[in-house]
Amino acid sequence: MSSRFFLLLTSLIFFFNNCFAGTYEYEVKTVNYKNLAARLYLPKTTEKVPAVIGFGGSDPSWGFAEANGQMMASNGIAVIGLVYFKTEPGLPATLDHIPMEYFISAIDYAETVKEIDASRIGVVSGSRGSEAGFLLAILDPRIKSVVITTPSKVAWSGMTSAQSAWTYQGKDIPSMDLPELENATQIQRFNMALQDSEKVKKATFAFEKIGGPMLLISAENDQIWPGTAMTQDIMAYLKKYDFKYSVVHKSYPTGHGFSKETAPEIKQLIIDHFVQTLKNQR
């Protein structure tokens, strides 16, 4: 997959900052655990708090982690915000062959923090990070709640390689690549790739293995990939498997990065989801 694949940024994160602040003060700590490049956003309270693992997509910066850390820690939910390529020394240079064990180690870290209730852990991510977010919830039953923005129903190959972007136990996660189509837009290439039913079947996530409620948020006019159509497919998949947890799909008539106008509502949906599924589940 060429480097131009996913030169995108979920711009929603920039609208999250400095709005809808909650009632909790919080502190930010640099995580010193294994090889994690992460920050802990910890509410100041005498009660044990739930925690959410938060990470972005193809934008390697701290933006997604910081935005989610601010908005949820101020509402009484700890956030372990991490980056997983390029940004910090020791990380892979590109979004290629990222071990899922790296994300699992963030859950391991949560269990070492005495202020965190490790029975109440969730994950939030989006765009390319949606793939790792789903995989984390599928691979590790300690994830009890999920929020994904601009989801993909399948795993895709890396930014610079035709091999999978993700690995687990040293093996590639089954993935799909984009066809090289002359004069085609990116979304046309995605739609063409998704017509290969055999490859789609192999690369589709085992959503039925997720052990908690989900909130999925898609963009109807997404020009990066067909996120709303893929989310509808996820919903149909879960219905087929009689998924026992609640799943909510909200879509907005925007592009992949959503918009300043929709951001407040989306932000509140995310906060409310984790408050209801983690914070209030004592």
Side-chain angles (χ1 to χ4, degrees):
M1 188 169 293
S2 69
S3 59
R4 67 178 180 272
F5 183 83
F6 286 119
L7 295 178
L8 57 98
L9 171 66
T10 305
S11 59
L12 174 68
I13 62 175
F14 292 110
F15 304 123
F16 277 175
N17 294 317
N18 303 319
C19 60
F20 286 95
T23 58
Y24 290 79
E25 294 183 356
Y26 63 92
E27 57 184 333
V28 183
K29 300 180 178 180
T30 298
V31 171
N32 183 18
Y33 185 82
K34 296 183 179 178
N35 63 335
L36 272 179
R39 296 169 182 166
L40 172 64
Y41 301 79
L42 188 65
K44 294 182 178 181
T45 174
T46 57
E47 298 180 344
K48 280 189 173 260
V49 294
V52 171
I53 315 297
F55 48 89
S58 63
D59 169 32
S61 77
W62 285 100
F64 193 94
E66 178 71 17
N68 280 279
Q70 288 181 6
M71 77 181 194
M72 280 189 278
S74 65
N75 282 276
I77 300 169
V79 172
I80 301 168
L82 59 88
V83 291
Y84 53 94
F85 73 101
K86 189 177 180 178
T87 303
E88 297 293 334
L91 294 178
T94 58
L95 204 168
D96 292 279
H97 263 197
I98 308 295
M100 285 307 303
E101 287 85 352
Y102 179 80
F103 301 94
I104 291 170
S105 68
I107 307 176
D108 296 338
Y109 167 71
E111 292 188 325
T112 72
V113 180
K114 67 180 188 303
E115 294 90 350
I116 289 176
D117 179 354
S119 70
R120 294 182 287 156
I121 299 177
V123 62
V124 59
S125 191
S127 192
R128 287 241 56 183
S130 72
E131 301 165 47
F134 283 134
L135 285 167
L136 184 61
I138 290 164
L139 293 170
D140 199 314
R142 292 175 293 178
I143 294 293
K144 303 298 185 184
S145 184
V146 176
V147 173
I148 300 291
T149 60
T150 56
S152 174
K153 68 177 181 178
V154 297
W156 296 93
S157 58
M159 290 179 70
T160 67
S161 167
Q163 294 180 306
S164 181
W166 318 101
T167 68
Y168 181 59
Q169 296 181 343
K171 297 180 180 179
D172 282 10
I173 298 290
S175 65
M176 300 186 65
D177 196 18
L178 291 185
E180 292 294 338
L181 300 175
E182 190 174 354
N183 299 322
T185 64
Q186 188 149 282
I187 196 165
Q188 287 172 335
R189 295 171 69 204
F190 271 109
N191 283 325
M192 179 63 73
L194 290 166
Q195 289 178 22
D196 190 328
S197 59
E198 284 303 311
K199 287 186 178 179
V200 167
K201 185 177 180 180
K202 291 177 181 177
T204 295
F205 300 120
F207 296 103
E208 74 277 11
K209 295 182 179 179
I210 293 174
M214 289 190 278
L215 170 63
L216 309 177
I217 304 171
S218 69
E220 296 165 12
N221 299 324
D222 196 325
Q223 291 303 305
I224 301 299
W225 60 18
T228 295
M230 287 196 288
T231 308
Q232 290 168 343
D233 288 345
I234 294 169
M235 299 296 285
Y237 180 107
L238 292 169
K239 184 176 181 180
K240 175 183 174 183
Y241 278 88
D242 277 334
F243 191 65
K244 65 180 180 179
Y245 301 99
S246 68
V247 186
V248 175
H249 174 208
K250 293 282 290 185
S251 64
Y252 292 86
T254 70
H256 188 86
F258 298 104
S259 67
K260 187 175 182 179
E261 290 71 30
T262 59
E265 181 177 323
I266 292 171
K267 178 180 182 293
Q268 196 62 57
L269 282 172
I270 294 171
I271 293 170
D272 290 346
H273 175 86
F274 285 126
V275 166
Q276 292 164 11
T277 63
L278 293 179
K279 189 167 184 284
N280 291 345
Q281 298 300 312
R282 292 190 177 88

